[in-house]
Amino acid sequence: MLAKHILLTNQPEILRPLESFLFRRRGYSLLIASDGRQAFEIIEEHDPALAILDLEMISEGGDACCHRVKCDPILRKTPIILIARADRAEEVRRCREAGCNEIVFKPVDPHELIVAACRLLHITERRDPRLEMPLPAMVGKDSRRLRVGTILNLNGGGCFVETRRLVPAGEEVALEFTLPGTTEILSVCCRVIWVNHPEWVKAPRLPVGMGVQFLDLPAAVRDAIETLVAANVSETERHLDNPPQDTKPSR
């Protein structure tokens, strides 16, 4: 069987998590590009299953390379992740205009990078457990003018908020919600990690909304969320291990 190639920019924060993760999978090998021009040549020659490029690669930026690939009738289907700085709106704009499939922000979170890679490689990986329960919420850029939303799932690291008032990835939003069984309103600052836009759907199973990362969640609240998640997982596993018995009388 021919090897499936993953093209990476030559940076330790990108190489390390994917080396340890993808090398364990039969059929994947990593190709390394030191600059944007070399990356394009490798894509032409090896037709990788995925390319992960830094926006600031030397000689030719990752966005320029991505744009060339997406404009090529033969190469255009190559999935590309661009690495950019979330605090620079200009970099986010360049990524979108280049036509990349995903944006991962610096400093690179290995988990987020692997999740994005898995999504584009159509690899199903077990995610961190989440509490799958709709929770009323208020969300928005301005903490004084929040809009109604709904948290559909969450864990101690973040959540997905169903809302039509979308904020671009990389920007911060205020979020207010109450945990099940409590009355305390939690006010949390979050960073938007990804967006399920009506015209750019990343997760078809989810409605329009935003995946956000908690930035200032108190340790006690994080522990309370993780306890709820663990209890929910245990309850689900209990039902799977002990399915309801069929009490219908036999004839």
Side-chain angles (χ1 to χ4, degrees):
M1 183 177 65
L2 293 176
K4 299 175 184 178
H5 301 297
I6 311 296
L7 172 62
L8 305 175
T9 184
N10 189 17
Q11 292 177 302
E13 62 179 340
I14 297 170
L15 279 169
R16 288 196 190 104
L18 290 176
E19 276 184 329
S20 61
F21 180 76
L22 291 173
F23 274 166
R24 294 182 310 200
R25 295 186 166 277
R26 184 180 304 173
Y28 283 99
S29 65
L30 301 185
L31 303 173
I32 309 300
S34 58
D35 60 63
R37 291 178 185 173
Q38 184 184 30
F40 185 81
E41 292 172 359
I42 292 174
I43 292 173
E44 278 190 309
E45 182 177 353
H46 294 283
D47 187 25
L50 173 66
I52 304 175
L53 309 175
D54 191 278
L55 200 68
E56 299 303 324
M57 298 176 75
I58 62 173
S59 83
E60 181 175 274
D63 58 327
C65 177
C66 178
H67 182 72
R68 289 175 66 190
V69 170
K70 295 302 183 180
C71 289
D72 189 296
I74 297 175
L75 305 176
R76 64 190 306 173
K77 291 186 178 180
T78 304
I80 295 178
I81 296 174
L82 288 180
I83 309 294
R85 285 171 287 193
D87 59 347
R88 300 200 176 184
E90 174 66 15
E91 291 197 3
V92 177
R93 182 190 63 79
R94 285 169 57 189
C95 290
R96 289 182 176 145
E97 290 183 351
C100 67
N101 300 83
E102 297 267 2
I103 305 173
V104 171
F105 295 108
K106 296 179 180 178
V108 175
D109 181 329
H111 176 73
E112 293 296 333
L113 180 60
I114 288 172
V115 167
C118 286
R119 190 157 45 234
L120 294 177
L121 291 169
H122 305 292
I123 296 173
T124 301
E125 284 297 309
R126 184 172 182 175
R127 302 183 306 161
D128 290 340
R130 285 181 173 248
L131 179 65
E132 304 282 347
M133 178 185 296
L135 299 174
M138 301 293 288
V139 63
K141 284 280 291 179
D142 186 346
S143 60
R144 297 166 298 181
R145 300 179 61 187
L146 300 180
R147 304 286 183 173
V148 174
T150 303
I151 294 175
L152 297 185
N153 59 60
L154 86 159
N155 61 19
C159 64
F160 180 84
V161 185
E162 179 181 7
T163 176
R164 288 271 169 180
R165 299 279 183 170
L166 300 176
V167 175
E171 296 192 14
E172 294 185 4
V173 294
L175 179 67
E176 291 185 354
F177 63 100
T178 301
L179 292 177
T182 70
T183 58
E184 180 185 1
I185 298 176
L186 302 174
S187 298
V188 184
C189 180
C190 308
R191 176 178 291 117
V192 178
I193 299 299
W194 65 282
V195 175
N196 226 29
H197 192 280
E199 298 177 2
W200 191 358
V201 177
K202 290 191 175 184
R205 71 181 184 86
L206 290 172
V208 174
M210 306 178 292
V212 303
Q213 175 187 19
F214 297 142
L215 296 181
D216 62 352
L217 197 66
V221 176
R222 186 183 302 273
D223 291 344
I225 292 175
E226 294 296 353
T227 298
L228 284 170
V229 172
N232 183 66
V233 170
S234 297
E235 182 68 12
T236 301
E237 290 175 347
R238 186 179 70 80
H239 282 293
L240 290 175
D241 292 337
N242 301 283
Q245 299 297 314
D246 186 359
T247 57
K248 184 178 178 180
S250 58
R251 299 194 178 196

